[in-house]
Short mmCIF file of all heavy atoms in Angstrom, two decimals:
data_model
loop_
_atom_site.label_atom_id
_atom_site.label_comp_id
_atom_site.label_asym_id
_atom_site.label_seq_id
_atom_site.Cartn_x
_atom_site.Cartn_y
_atom_site.Cartn_z
N ALA J 208 12.48 7.67 -5.23
CA ALA J 208 11.38 8.00 -6.16
C ALA J 208 11.91 8.41 -7.53
O ALA J 208 11.16 8.43 -8.50
CB ALA J 208 10.52 9.12 -5.57
N LYS J 209 13.20 8.74 -7.60
CA LYS J 209 13.76 9.17 -8.89
C LYS J 209 14.41 8.00 -9.63
O LYS J 209 14.92 8.17 -10.74
CB LYS J 209 14.77 10.28 -8.67
CG LYS J 209 14.15 11.55 -8.09
CD LYS J 209 15.12 12.72 -8.16
CE LYS J 209 14.56 13.95 -7.50
NZ LYS J 209 14.60 13.88 -6.01
N ASN J 210 14.42 6.82 -9.02
CA ASN J 210 15.03 5.65 -9.67
C ASN J 210 14.36 5.41 -11.02
O ASN J 210 13.12 5.34 -11.11
CB ASN J 210 14.87 4.44 -8.75
CG ASN J 210 15.44 3.18 -9.38
OD1 ASN J 210 14.72 2.45 -10.05
ND2 ASN J 210 16.72 2.93 -9.17
N GLU J 211 15.17 5.23 -12.05
CA GLU J 211 14.64 5.19 -13.42
C GLU J 211 13.71 4.00 -13.64
O GLU J 211 12.60 4.14 -14.15
CB GLU J 211 15.80 5.16 -14.41
CG GLU J 211 15.40 5.60 -15.79
CD GLU J 211 16.58 5.62 -16.75
OE1 GLU J 211 17.69 6.01 -16.32
OE2 GLU J 211 16.37 5.23 -17.91
N LYS J 212 14.18 2.81 -13.25
CA LYS J 212 13.35 1.63 -13.49
C LYS J 212 12.06 1.67 -12.66
O LYS J 212 10.99 1.32 -13.14
CB LYS J 212 14.14 0.35 -13.18
CG LYS J 212 13.30 -0.91 -13.42
CD LYS J 212 14.09 -2.18 -13.53
CE LYS J 212 13.20 -3.41 -13.53
NZ LYS J 212 12.11 -3.38 -14.53
N LEU J 213 12.19 2.15 -11.42
CA LEU J 213 11.00 2.24 -10.57
C LEU J 213 9.98 3.20 -11.19
O LEU J 213 8.79 2.89 -11.26
CB LEU J 213 11.40 2.70 -9.16
CG LEU J 213 10.25 2.81 -8.16
CD1 LEU J 213 9.62 1.45 -7.88
CD2 LEU J 213 10.73 3.43 -6.84
N THR J 214 10.46 4.35 -11.64
CA THR J 214 9.57 5.34 -12.25
C THR J 214 8.86 4.76 -13.46
O THR J 214 7.64 4.91 -13.62
CB THR J 214 10.40 6.58 -12.70
OG1 THR J 214 11.27 6.95 -11.64
CG2 THR J 214 9.51 7.74 -13.06
N THR J 215 9.62 4.07 -14.31
CA THR J 215 9.06 3.48 -15.53
C THR J 215 8.03 2.42 -15.17
O THR J 215 6.94 2.37 -15.74
CB THR J 215 10.19 2.82 -16.36
OG1 THR J 215 11.23 3.77 -16.51
CG2 THR J 215 9.70 2.37 -17.72
N ASP J 216 8.38 1.55 -14.24
CA ASP J 216 7.48 0.45 -13.89
C ASP J 216 6.22 0.95 -13.20
O ASP J 216 5.12 0.48 -13.48
CB ASP J 216 8.21 -0.58 -13.01
CG ASP J 216 9.14 -1.45 -13.83
OD1 ASP J 216 9.28 -1.20 -15.05
OD2 ASP J 216 9.74 -2.40 -13.28
N LEU J 217 6.36 1.94 -12.30
CA LEU J 217 5.16 2.48 -11.64
C LEU J 217 4.23 3.09 -12.68
O LEU J 217 3.01 2.90 -12.61
CB LEU J 217 5.54 3.53 -10.58
CG LEU J 217 6.20 3.01 -9.30
CD1 LEU J 217 6.54 4.18 -8.36
CD2 LEU J 217 5.32 2.01 -8.56
N ALA J 218 4.79 3.78 -13.68
CA ALA J 218 3.96 4.38 -14.73
C ALA J 218 3.20 3.28 -15.49
O ALA J 218 2.03 3.45 -15.85
CB ALA J 218 4.83 5.19 -15.69
N ARG J 219 3.86 2.16 -15.69
CA ARG J 219 3.23 1.03 -16.39
C ARG J 219 2.09 0.45 -15.53
O ARG J 219 1.01 0.17 -16.03
CB ARG J 219 4.29 -0.04 -16.68
CG ARG J 219 3.85 -1.13 -17.62
CD ARG J 219 5.07 -1.85 -18.21
NE ARG J 219 6.00 -2.31 -17.19
CZ ARG J 219 5.99 -3.52 -16.64
NH1 ARG J 219 5.07 -4.39 -17.01
NH2 ARG J 219 6.88 -3.86 -15.72
N PHE J 220 2.33 0.27 -14.24
CA PHE J 220 1.28 -0.27 -13.35
C PHE J 220 0.07 0.67 -13.34
O PHE J 220 -1.08 0.23 -13.29
CB PHE J 220 1.78 -0.45 -11.91
CG PHE J 220 3.02 -1.30 -11.77
CD1 PHE J 220 3.87 -1.13 -10.68
CD2 PHE J 220 3.35 -2.27 -12.71
CE1 PHE J 220 5.02 -1.89 -10.54
CE2 PHE J 220 4.50 -3.04 -12.58
CZ PHE J 220 5.34 -2.84 -11.49
N GLN J 221 0.37 1.97 -13.35
CA GLN J 221 -0.72 2.95 -13.32
C GLN J 221 -1.54 2.91 -14.61
O GLN J 221 -2.77 3.06 -14.58
CB GLN J 221 -0.15 4.35 -13.07
CG GLN J 221 0.43 4.50 -11.66
CD GLN J 221 1.44 5.62 -11.54
OE1 GLN J 221 1.53 6.49 -12.39
NE2 GLN J 221 2.22 5.60 -10.46
N GLU J 222 -0.85 2.68 -15.74
CA GLU J 222 -1.56 2.57 -17.01
C GLU J 222 -2.49 1.35 -16.99
O GLU J 222 -3.64 1.41 -17.43
CB GLU J 222 -0.55 2.47 -18.16
CG GLU J 222 -1.20 2.62 -19.51
CD GLU J 222 -0.23 2.35 -20.65
OE1 GLU J 222 1.00 2.39 -20.43
OE2 GLU J 222 -0.73 2.06 -21.74
N VAL J 223 -1.97 0.24 -16.45
CA VAL J 223 -2.78 -0.97 -16.30
C VAL J 223 -4.02 -0.67 -15.46
O VAL J 223 -5.14 -1.08 -15.78
CB VAL J 223 -1.94 -2.10 -15.66
CG1 VAL J 223 -2.83 -3.24 -15.18
CG2 VAL J 223 -0.89 -2.62 -16.63
N ARG J 224 -3.83 0.09 -14.38
CA ARG J 224 -4.97 0.44 -13.51
C ARG J 224 -6.01 1.27 -14.26
O ARG J 224 -7.21 1.05 -14.13
CB ARG J 224 -4.47 1.22 -12.28
CG ARG J 224 -3.84 0.34 -11.22
CD ARG J 224 -3.33 1.17 -10.06
NE ARG J 224 -3.00 0.32 -8.93
CZ ARG J 224 -3.88 -0.11 -8.03
NH1 ARG J 224 -5.14 0.29 -8.09
NH2 ARG J 224 -3.50 -0.89 -7.05
N ARG J 225 -5.53 2.27 -15.02
CA ARG J 225 -6.48 3.12 -15.77
C ARG J 225 -7.24 2.30 -16.80
O ARG J 225 -8.46 2.44 -16.93
CB ARG J 225 -5.74 4.28 -16.44
CG ARG J 225 -5.36 5.40 -15.47
CD ARG J 225 -4.91 6.65 -16.20
NE ARG J 225 -3.68 6.42 -16.95
CZ ARG J 225 -2.45 6.54 -16.43
NH1 ARG J 225 -2.30 6.89 -15.17
NH2 ARG J 225 -1.39 6.32 -17.17
N ASN J 226 -6.53 1.43 -17.53
CA ASN J 226 -7.20 0.58 -18.53
C ASN J 226 -8.24 -0.32 -17.87
O ASN J 226 -9.30 -0.58 -18.43
CB ASN J 226 -6.18 -0.27 -19.29
CG ASN J 226 -5.31 0.58 -20.20
OD1 ASN J 226 -5.69 1.69 -20.56
ND2 ASN J 226 -4.15 0.08 -20.56
N ARG J 227 -7.91 -0.77 -16.68
CA ARG J 227 -8.84 -1.66 -15.97
C ARG J 227 -10.12 -0.93 -15.57
O ARG J 227 -11.20 -1.52 -15.55
CB ARG J 227 -8.13 -2.21 -14.72
CG ARG J 227 -8.91 -3.24 -13.94
CD ARG J 227 -7.98 -3.83 -12.91
NE ARG J 227 -8.61 -4.75 -12.00
CZ ARG J 227 -8.69 -4.56 -10.69
NH1 ARG J 227 -8.21 -3.45 -10.15
NH2 ARG J 227 -9.23 -5.47 -9.91
N ILE J 228 -10.00 0.36 -15.27
CA ILE J 228 -11.19 1.16 -14.95
C ILE J 228 -12.14 1.18 -16.16
O ILE J 228 -13.35 0.96 -16.02
CB ILE J 228 -10.82 2.61 -14.55
CG1 ILE J 228 -9.90 2.64 -13.33
CG2 ILE J 228 -12.08 3.47 -14.34
CD1 ILE J 228 -10.52 2.30 -12.01
N TYR J 229 -11.58 1.41 -17.35
CA TYR J 229 -12.41 1.38 -18.57
C TYR J 229 -13.11 0.03 -18.70
O TYR J 229 -14.30 -0.04 -19.02
CB TYR J 229 -11.55 1.62 -19.82
CG TYR J 229 -11.16 3.07 -20.03
CD1 TYR J 229 -9.91 3.54 -19.67
CD2 TYR J 229 -12.07 3.97 -20.59
CE1 TYR J 229 -9.55 4.86 -19.86
CE2 TYR J 229 -11.72 5.30 -20.79
CZ TYR J 229 -10.46 5.74 -20.41
OH TYR J 229 -10.13 7.05 -20.60
#
Side-chain angles (χ1 to χ4, degrees):
K209 296 192 184 76
N210 178 269
E211 200 177 322
K212 180 163 170 53
L213 182 64
T214 313
T215 310
D216 284 4
L217 288 179
R219 192 161 52 93
F220 305 154
Q221 292 159 16
E222 191 187 341
V223 166
R224 282 178 168 276
R225 283 192 295 274
N226 291 339
R227 185 171 175 242
I228 300 288
Y229 283 100

